């Protein structure tokens, strides 16, 4: 089973007032939707309003094969909104409007077993109010033999609180078997732009594997056994929203049960190159549309 843990938002995507659309979003949720469309067993762990937008999102998750058994529903909050304005390079600049739960101990978490995959990250993983229950869950997952993947998805707007957030970021990295980060994450969090230096930082903080996405430059994977690189795909982007999240879905979809157990046991896996190639192709496909996830049409074309 795959569990994604993170905020749920309604993305309002706009270039101007005549070009606006809404999509369920949140970095970890975007990953879950692609995994669900691929037919993989995935549940999302989060909270959600029972207002009209929240109910539409629940229906969307059901239509896309994403389990919602561990989404806490509340009538005390409103659906979180993320306004994503696309610039001339089709990159999104965000403004968030969010409601917090009054008590994060209300969140529901599953029992775990060896071979499960846990993906966590974004603003949810650095929310101080959720730290107690989240870290307790991650520790149980690690003790059970699950594979833990951390995606910081660190926004430039968080930089003003970086000193305050760094201890929490360090804990999230230390818990992970794989840190999947973008070059922007590494720049904003650690002021590092060189991929080799990024690996030095992440490995010193306790993670065993770094998968670093670099936009048009492709991606690179590091571990103590060496590194693997793939080139970027030459495409004409429409929107980059969800590209990194769908890369993560591609990576997870290609990791076999043996791969998962090897990574948990700090052993090399056979073919990072094929994992990165599929993940890179998935990310490129998302950039060709306004969807935050791999399209049904693409998935059907691959069968």
């Amino acid at each position: 089973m795959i569990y994604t843990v993170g905020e749920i938002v309604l993305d309002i995507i706009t270039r101007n007032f005549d070009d606006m659309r809404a999509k369920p979003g949140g970095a970890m949720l975007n990953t879950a939707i692609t995994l669900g469309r691929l037919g993989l067993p995935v549940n999302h762990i989060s909270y959600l309003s029972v207002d009209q937008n929240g109910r539409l999102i629940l229906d969307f998750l059901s239509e896309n094969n994403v389990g919602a058994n561990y989404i806490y529903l509340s009538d005390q909050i409103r659906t979180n909104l993320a306004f994503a304005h696309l610039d001339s390079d089709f990159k999104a600049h965000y403004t968030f409007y969010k409601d917090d739960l009054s008590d994060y101990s209300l969140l529901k978490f599953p029992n775990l077993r060896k071979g499960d995959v846990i993906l966590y990250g974004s603003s949810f993983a650095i929310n101080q109010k959720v730290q107690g229950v989240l870290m307790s869950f991650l520790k149980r997952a690690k003790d059970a033999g699950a594979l833990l993947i951390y995606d910081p998805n660190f926004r430039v707007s968080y930089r003003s609180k970086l000193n305050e957030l760094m201890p929490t970021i360090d804990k999230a990295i230390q818990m992970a078997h794989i840190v999947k980060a973008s070059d922007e994450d590494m720049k904003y969090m650690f002021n590092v732009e060189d991929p080799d230096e990024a690996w030095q930082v992440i490995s010193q903080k306790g993670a065993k594997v770094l998968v670093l996405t670099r936009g048009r430059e492709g991606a690179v994977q590091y571990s103590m056994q060496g590194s693997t690189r793939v080139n970027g795909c030459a495409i004409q982007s429409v929107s980059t929203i969800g590209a990194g999240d769908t890369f993560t879905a591609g990576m997870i979809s290609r990791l076999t049960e043996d791969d998962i157990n090897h990574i948990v046991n700090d052993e090399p896996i056979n073919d990072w190159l094929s994992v990165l190639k599929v993940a890179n192709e998935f990310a490129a496909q998302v950039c060709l549309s306004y969807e935050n996830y791999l399209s049904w049409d693409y998935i059907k074309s691959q069968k």
Side-chain angles (χ1 to χ4, degrees), residues 148-150 152 172-173 176-181 202 207 209-212:
L148 274 61
I149 304 172
Y150 175 51
I173 293 172
H177 298 100
I178 300 174
V179 173
K180 177 265 166 186
I202 294 301
V209 178
L210 170 65
V211 176
L212 185 69

Side-chain angles (χ1 to χ4, degrees), residues 58-282:
L58 281 176
D59 289 344
F60 184 83
L61 296 184
S62 177
E63 292 164 4
N64 288 278
N65 308 314
V66 177
N69 294 335
Y70 303 101
I71 296 177
Y72 176 76
L73 302 176
S74 172
D75 60 2
Q76 303 300 308
I77 57 174
R78 295 164 294 182
T79 297
N80 294 326
L81 300 177
F83 285 85
H85 177 74
L86 296 175
D87 64 18
S88 59
D89 293 322
F90 304 100
K91 294 184 68 174
H93 302 268
Y94 290 92
T95 304
F96 295 97
Y97 298 87
K98 292 186 177 182
D99 270 358
D100 264 335
L101 279 183
S102 59
D103 181 4
Y104 280 92
S105 69
L106 296 170
L107 291 176
K108 299 179 285 185
F109 293 95
N111 294 320
L112 299 157
R113 59 186 180 182
K114 183 179 179 181
D116 287 345
V117 176
I118 316 297
L119 172 69
Y120 61 102
S122 201
S123 63
F124 193 89
I126 55 176
N127 184 337
Q128 301 300 308
K129 297 177 182 178
V130 78
Q131 281 302 293
V133 293
L134 177 60
M135 287 299 159
S136 176
F137 169 65
L138 295 179
K139 185 178 186 307
R140 293 199 306 275
K142 204 165 189 178
D143 289 345
L147 175 70
L148 274 61
I149 304 172
Y150 175 51
D151 180 358
N153 197 40
F154 193 84
R155 305 291 183 194
V156 65
S157 58
Y158 304 156
R159 292 193 75 176
S160 62
K161 297 182 178 179
L162 184 58
N163 289 339
E164 174 188 338
L165 294 173
M166 190 53 68
T168 305
I169 293 169
D170 285 346
K171 287 180 183 178
I173 293 172
Q174 289 164 8
M175 291 297 296
H177 298 100
I178 300 174
V179 173
K180 177 265 166 186
S182 69
D183 50 5
E184 288 187 346
D185 290 334
M186 297 305 300
K187 179 180 177 181
Y188 296 151
M189 291 190 302
F190 302 113
N191 197 30
V192 168
E193 298 189 51
D194 178 76
D196 292 343
E197 291 181 15
W199 166 235
Q200 290 178 13
V201 170
I202 294 301
S203 62
Q204 288 170 2
K205 291 182 179 292
K208 304 299 184 183
V209 178
L210 170 65
V211 176
L212 185 69
T213 59
R214 307 186 64 215
R216 298 178 191 276
E217 300 299 317
V220 57
Q221 170 270 331
Y222 292 91
S223 70
M224 294 301 180
Q225 289 81 30
S227 63
T228 306
R229 297 172 187 264
V230 293
N231 295 325
C233 300
I235 57 168
Q236 182 62 51
S237 293
V238 171
S239 166
T240 59
I241 297 173
D245 312 326
T246 311
F247 179 101
T248 307
M251 179 178 72
I252 292 172
S253 73
R254 288 293 298 175
L255 291 175
T256 67
E257 184 176 351
D258 283 344
D259 291 335
I260 290 168
N261 292 330
H262 286 325
I263 295 169
V264 167
N265 294 325
D266 196 19
E267 299 167 352
I269 70 172
N270 291 328
D271 195 2
W272 269 111
L273 183 60
S274 67
V275 172
L276 295 184
K277 283 183 175 179
V278 169
N280 221 33
E281 171 65 18
F282 280 17

Side-chain angles (χ1 to χ4, degrees), residues 36-55:
R37 289 182 174 185
L38 290 169
L40 296 172
V42 59
N43 265 276
H44 191 62
I45 301 170
S46 191
Y47 64 93
L48 183 64
S49 171
V50 292
D51 63 14
Q52 189 170 9
N53 286 326
R55 294 189 182 280

